[in-house]
Amino acid sequence: MSRAPALSPSRAGDFRQCPLLFRLRTIDRLPEPPSLVPNLGTLVHAVLEHLYDRPPAERTAATAHAMLEPAWEAMVAKDPELADLVADPAERESFFSDARGRLDTYFTMENPQRLEPTGREEFVEYQLDDGPRLRGVIDRVEVAPDGSIRITDYKTGKTPHPRYGQQAKFQMRFYALLVERLRGRRPALLQLLYLRDGGTVVLHPTDQDMDLIEHEIRELWADITAAARNLSFRPQPSKLCDWCSFQAQCPQFGGTPPALDPAAVERALGISVA
């Protein structure tokens, strides 16, 4: 059974980056070829999620390393095309070496033997009054004895320059808003752990932050709604175009998007365009 249409931080990020990218992913749902970088992140996230299934004494780097191959095989079982990404032995070794490196960095940042998360890969969803349904999956949630809440997100890339990284901060404040509305208590701390270089970004959400993120979400949803009703999701060229999977469908590269089906818009967004 499919879920009701909702806005997640990643889909919000797509629209902010390029409305056409958002459309092709969310409405047309065009397939994208698998690539190593996002699947490296998925693999490392899976290991760190299930590491906490083990007794504290077993939450070691050696245990995490041993979990990589089974976690990868589980991913391949769900999507056999992933096997082609590491068919070459040298590519496979490089891929798993990168994954082990990310895990080793994690163990320099935290001691998982001392942590007992209350939630891992926690699905959260909330209907914003007179706005979109919001949805997300939080990597890790911890609740202290005094009730204070900490949210943690793992990033397998490197720490961004201070002038960048706004999408990750948007994501964390988005989650903070969801948690505050669902639990009736604002998270005291949001932390981003960058596992390529060991950097940490810490946020302490304020009243102003929560007001701002709700305002941003509502403005973004108004822009999405306007684009949907006009059946017009325009490309927004940037340096990120070089890594886009949809160049063949983008006018900026001489491509043509498929005809936009109003019924698909309504199914994907819950917005009537008839």
Side-chain angles (χ1 to χ4, degrees), residues 115-128:
L115 300 173
E116 289 298 337
T118 56
R120 289 169 283 148
E121 296 297 310
E122 182 172 303
F123 176 80
V124 286
E125 189 173 51
Y126 179 79
Q127 177 64 52
L128 198 62

Side-chain angles (χ1 to χ4, degrees), residues 233-248:
F233 291 85
R234 297 181 181 278
Q236 185 168 293
S238 73
K239 294 179 180 179
L240 297 174
C241 291
D242 292 341
W243 290 274
C244 183
S245 302
F246 300 118
Q247 292 182 6

Side-chain angles (χ1 to χ4, degrees), residues 40-52 102-103 105-107 109-110 112 115 117 119-121 137-142 150-157 168 171-172 175 191-196 199:
L40 173 67
T42 300
L43 176 60
V44 171
H45 275 72
V47 170
L48 291 176
E49 175 190 359
H50 294 296
L51 182 68
Y52 286 95
R102 300 306 197 273
L103 292 171
T105 299
Y106 170 72
F107 280 89
M109 303 176 75
E110 293 189 315
L115 300 173
R120 289 169 283 148
E121 296 297 310
V137 178
I138 302 174
D139 289 347
R140 203 177 78 214
V141 179
E142 292 154 291
R150 177 170 70 174
I151 292 176
T152 298
D153 193 79
Y154 310 118
K155 300 295 185 188
T156 46
Q171 173 192 8
M172 297 305 283
Y175 289 155
Q191 65 173 1
L192 291 147
L193 305 183
Y194 288 89
L195 305 183
R196 183 174 173 183

Side-chain angles (χ1 to χ4, degrees), residues 34-36 39 69 72-89 91-93 95-96:
S35 59
L36 284 174
N39 282 291
E69 287 279 358
W72 177 249
E73 294 306 319
M75 289 171 59
V76 171
K78 291 181 179 179
D79 184 359
E81 289 187 8
L82 295 181
D84 295 337
L85 292 176
V86 292
D88 179 82
E91 289 179 346
R92 184 180 181 89
E93 174 53 34
F95 178 73
F96 279 96

Side-chain angles (χ1 to χ4, degrees), residues 155 160-175 190 192 194 201-203 213:
K155 300 295 185 188
H161 187 279
R163 75 173 65 175
Y164 303 113
Q166 295 308 309
Q167 173 58 24
K169 293 178 181 178
F170 172 89
Q171 173 192 8
M172 297 305 283
R173 290 178 176 128
F174 188 110
Y175 289 155
L190 317 172
L192 291 147
Y194 288 89
V201 174
V202 173
L203 304 172
I213 193 66

